[in-house]
């Protein structure tokens, strides 16, 4: 059994590297290559329970790294444009996602899919803006700052939704208790955890165990994820908030550099290949209309919601449209959220097909739309 698991992991890592390289060469996100490679691998070797459990560590590393790349100061300095863009974008995305899904799946699944539409992954947008020399524009700064707030709100919303669905009902008292837990967890992560973990890691260094700071950080990461689960919240919330707490310490850079190598070389690729391996190919024909309707709703919701937020903040229509387009892409956070929802038993494997299609089309349409929105101004300037 141990040998079988080792062979599984070897095949998954080779698949991730091979298909990630192929997709990078054709100008597509590496993550999509890893997922499609996983689909092909899953046709030959269906994933075992052990493989699924190990790949779930990739979810925690993914959100931990996202937290490390954020900072409390950046959140405080996000400004009116970034904050309103994120908040209005999340609200509109959730409502449109809910409205699209409700006729197909009913109330509970509409809540979950609505939550899955809320986050944004702007790595693709940043790359395009750099090519256009527009990263330092008003629109570029707004997109980057909004994405930070966006992810936190999306993770919180999903935690609340999963808690509601796991408990089997929707009531105001239950929702209130969940929100109180989230707020307490958030405040502790911002104000209590940073000085505490900084003191602990300094102590370890003074004792002559500098390398142990990474090991200790990993132990606390898993403890935070467990604590979030124990509080009936999503483990990814604990992972993200611990990463956010560590970003406030002087150990952020070395921990980020060391963890990034392990996470992006092993655990995160394993997770995305496992996503592909868990996609039931038979489900593709059954979710066709629904998947496309959901994807269109997810794309339109960000253009409308984030664009509206930017416009309310005082930007003109063209700037607002650019920001809305820049906030379209979805990537890893949605899949991490979905993995947690599946682990909780509140959604089936066919949901992977829907979310992967949304990721693929949202990353496909963003670059040309973004370039068109900026080229028009360049033409007018000429």
């Amino acid at each position: 059994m141990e040998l079988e698991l080792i062979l599984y992991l070897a095949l998954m890592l080779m698949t991730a590297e091979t298909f990630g390289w192929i997709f990078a060469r054709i100008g597509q996100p590496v993550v999509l290559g890893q997922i499609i490679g996983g689909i092909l691998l899953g046709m030959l070797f269906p994933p075992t329970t052990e493989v699924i459990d190990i790949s779930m560590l990739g979810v925690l590393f993914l959100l931990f790294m996202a937290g490390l790349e954020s900072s409390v100061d950046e959140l405080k300095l996000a400004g009116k444009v970034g904050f309103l863009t994120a908040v209005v974008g999340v609200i509109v995305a959730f409502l449109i996602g809910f409205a699209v899904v409700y006729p197909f799946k009913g109330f509970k699944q509409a809540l979950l899919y609505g939550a899955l539409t809320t986050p944004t992954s702007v790595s693709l947008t940043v790359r395009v803006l750099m090519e256009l020399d527009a990263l330092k524009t008003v629109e570029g700064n707004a997109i980057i700052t909004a994405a930070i707030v966006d992810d936190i709100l999306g993770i919180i919303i999903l935690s609340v939704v999963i808690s509601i669905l796991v408990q089997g009902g929707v009531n105001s008292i239950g929702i209130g208790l969940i929100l109180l837990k989230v707020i307490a967890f958030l405040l502790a992560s911002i104000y209590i955890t940073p000085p505490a973990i900084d003191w602990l890691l300094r102590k370890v260094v003074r004792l002559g165990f500098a390398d142990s700071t990474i090991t200790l950080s990993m132990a606390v990461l898993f403890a935070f994820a467990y604590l979030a689960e124990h509080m009936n919240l999503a483990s990814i919330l604990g992972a993200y908030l611990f990463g956010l707490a560590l970003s406030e310490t002087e150990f952020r850079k070395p921990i980020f550099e060391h963890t990034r190598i392990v996470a992006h070389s092993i655990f995160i690729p394993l997770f995305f290949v496992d996503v592909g391996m868990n996609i039931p190919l038979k489900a593709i024909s059954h979710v066709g209309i629904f998947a496309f309707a959901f994807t269109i709703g997810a794309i339109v919701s960000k253009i409308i919601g984030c664009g509206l937020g930017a416009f309310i903040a005082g930007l003109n229509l063209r700037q607002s449209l650019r920001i809305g387009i820049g906030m379209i892409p979805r990537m890893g956070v949605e899949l991490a959220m979905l993995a947690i929802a599946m682990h909780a038993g509140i959604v089936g494997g066919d949901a992977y097909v829907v979310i992967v299609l949304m990721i693929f089309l949202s990353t496909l349409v963003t670059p040309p739309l973004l370039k068109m929105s900026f080229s028009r101004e360049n033409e007018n300037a000429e």
Side-chain angles (χ1 to χ4, degrees), residues 29-305:
V30 169
V31 60
L32 286 177
Q34 293 171 343
I35 293 170
I36 289 174
I39 293 174
L40 298 176
L41 184 62
M43 293 170 66
L44 301 173
F45 305 99
T48 64
T49 304
E50 293 86 352
V51 168
I52 294 171
D53 289 341
I54 291 174
S55 69
M56 286 298 293
L57 292 174
V59 177
L60 300 182
F61 276 108
L62 187 66
L63 272 297
F64 174 65
M65 300 298 291
L68 273 175
E69 290 185 280
S70 305
S71 80
V72 175
D73 288 338
E74 286 178 345
L75 292 176
K76 292 176 180 177
L77 297 172
K80 184 173 70 171
V81 176
F83 185 77
L84 284 174
T85 297
V87 172
V88 178
V90 163
I91 292 171
V92 172
F94 179 83
L95 292 176
I96 290 180
F98 180 91
V100 170
V101 175
Y102 182 75
F104 292 94
K105 300 281 187 177
F107 180 76
K108 291 183 178 180
Q109 292 295 299
L111 278 179
L112 178 62
Y113 276 96
L116 291 171
T117 64
T118 55
T120 294
S121 178
V122 296
S123 56
L124 178 67
T125 297
V126 168
R127 190 176 71 189
V128 175
L129 289 175
M130 289 175 70
E131 291 174 4
L132 298 172
D133 196 25
L135 188 60
K136 297 301 181 182
T137 60
V138 172
E139 297 93 321
N141 288 328
I143 288 169
I144 292 170
T145 54
I148 298 168
V149 181
D150 192 283
D151 279 350
I152 291 180
L153 292 176
I155 294 167
I156 289 173
I157 288 172
L158 184 83
S159 295
V160 173
V161 167
I162 287 179
S163 297
I164 290 170
L165 296 182
V166 168
Q167 292 172 12
V170 180
N171 62 80
S172 56
I173 296 175
I175 293 174
L177 288 173
I178 294 166
L179 288 174
L180 283 175
K181 291 178 186 177
V182 170
I183 292 170
F185 210 169
L186 185 61
L187 292 176
S189 300
I190 292 175
Y191 296 106
I192 299 175
T193 306
I197 193 66
D198 189 60
W199 175 86
L200 184 59
L201 294 178
R202 283 173 182 268
K203 199 78 172 176
V204 169
V205 171
R206 280 199 295 269
L207 290 172
F209 299 100
D211 290 342
S212 296
T213 55
I214 309 298
T215 306
L216 185 59
S217 299
M218 294 301 98
V220 179
L221 162 63
F222 297 140
F224 256 66
Y226 172 80
L227 179 61
E229 285 280 348
H230 191 67
M231 295 171 65
N232 292 322
L233 302 173
S235 58
I236 54 174
L237 179 65
Y240 183 89
L241 290 181
F242 179 62
L244 185 65
L246 261 182
S247 73
E248 298 303 298
T249 72
E250 67 177 62
F251 297 93
R252 173 195 172 278
K253 187 173 181 180
I255 289 174
F256 177 83
E257 291 301 325
H258 285 83
T259 307
R260 180 178 62 84
I261 296 171
V262 176
H264 286 284
S265 300
I266 302 174
F267 292 105
I268 293 176
L270 284 177
F271 167 64
F272 286 121
V273 171
D274 179 66
V275 166
M277 293 174 71
N278 278 282
I279 292 177
L281 294 181
K282 293 180 181 178
I284 294 176
S285 60
H286 298 297
V287 298
I289 297 175
F290 168 64
F292 277 101
F294 177 72
T295 298
I296 292 169
I299 291 172
V300 171
S301 70
K302 282 295 181 180
I303 296 175
I304 295 175

Side-chain angles (χ1 to χ4, degrees), residues 357-376:
L357 180 65
M358 178 186 73
I359 290 172
F360 178 71
L361 291 181
S362 68
T363 56
L364 201 63
V365 303
T366 300
L369 289 177
L370 204 56
K371 288 175 181 177
M372 284 173 57
S373 68
F374 275 91
S375 65
R376 288 177 182 174

